[in-house]
Amino acid sequence: MTLSIGQPVPDFTAEATSGKTIQLSALQGRKLVIYFYPKDSTPGCTTEGGDFRDLYSAFQAANTEVFGVSRDGIKSHENFKAKQGFPFELISDKDETLCRIFDVIKLKKLYGKEHLGIERSTFLIGTDGTLLQEWRKVKVPGHVQQVLEATQTR
């Protein structure tokens, strides 16, 4: 199943930092930015998370909650979140449930070897739970500003 713009995002429940369980249906009424990143504490992921952190109050002002998602465990997420001062929760998707819903697991090449990994992607979900916009194969510089602008106009 592939999600399309304008379609409802299937409800999900996921384990997140701060001992929270995130349930999509419980968040209706707010827009959501869900960004998928490959790995905690790597340079690109740290920069991207920092950009979301630095603009977090603007996302909040646009009635938008932000969640970062990777396959790292909660302990790794808690360390990454604390070290970087992220004001938003990180979701652990070890079993790749969310990765499959959003179709972000792709064949990647690293040092000439192929492996399956998370393709850096961001999704904007509307107040009614439908997919409003998606960004795939994200390049970090300037990306978070684009996402913020989309939340402010949708």
Side-chain angles (χ1 to χ4, degrees):
M1 178 202 120
T2 308
L3 270 179
S4 303
I5 303 293
Q7 273 190 324
V9 175
D11 196 16
F12 63 80
T13 303
E15 187 183 8
T17 47
S18 305
K20 294 190 175 158
T21 300
I22 307 300
Q23 185 172 11
L24 180 62
S25 57
L27 295 165
Q28 290 212 340
R30 301 200 71 191
K31 289 174 275 190
L32 301 178
V33 167
I34 299 180
Y35 77 95
F36 288 83
Y37 63 94
K39 188 128 185 64
D40 287 347
S41 302
T42 55
C45 301
T46 300
T47 300
E48 184 179 26
D51 289 349
F52 275 112
R53 175 197 61 219
D54 296 346
L55 292 173
Y56 186 69
S57 59
F59 279 103
Q60 294 281 283
N63 189 33
T64 305
E65 194 48 70
V66 175
F67 295 102
V69 183
S70 81
R71 297 183 296 183
D72 294 300
I74 289 295
K75 189 171 170 61
S76 173
H77 273 355
E78 291 287 10
N79 291 339
F80 186 40
K81 181 182 173 204
K83 187 172 180 194
Q84 300 303 326
F86 296 155
F88 49 86
E89 305 305 333
L90 299 177
I91 294 173
S92 173
D93 194 31
K94 276 182 168 312
D95 64 1
E96 299 179 0
T97 302
L98 269 68
C99 289
R100 280 194 293 278
I101 289 173
F102 290 95
D103 189 31
V104 297
I105 298 289
K106 304 291 180 190
L107 195 60
K108 298 168 81 178
K109 274 195 170 156
L110 185 66
Y111 308 119
K113 290 193 166 123
E114 289 188 335
H115 69 284
L116 287 173
I118 291 180
E119 178 181 84
R120 192 181 305 280
S121 309
T122 302
F123 300 88
L124 176 59
I125 301 171
T127 54
D128 61 353
T130 59
L131 183 63
L132 295 179
Q133 202 165 339
E134 63 181 20
W135 294 264
R136 294 184 179 271
K137 297 184 180 168
V138 166
K139 300 284 179 253
V140 173
H143 171 63
V144 174
Q145 184 64 45
Q146 286 180 328
V147 176
L148 177 62
E149 286 164 12
T151 67
Q152 293 168 331
T153 58
R154 300 295 302 243

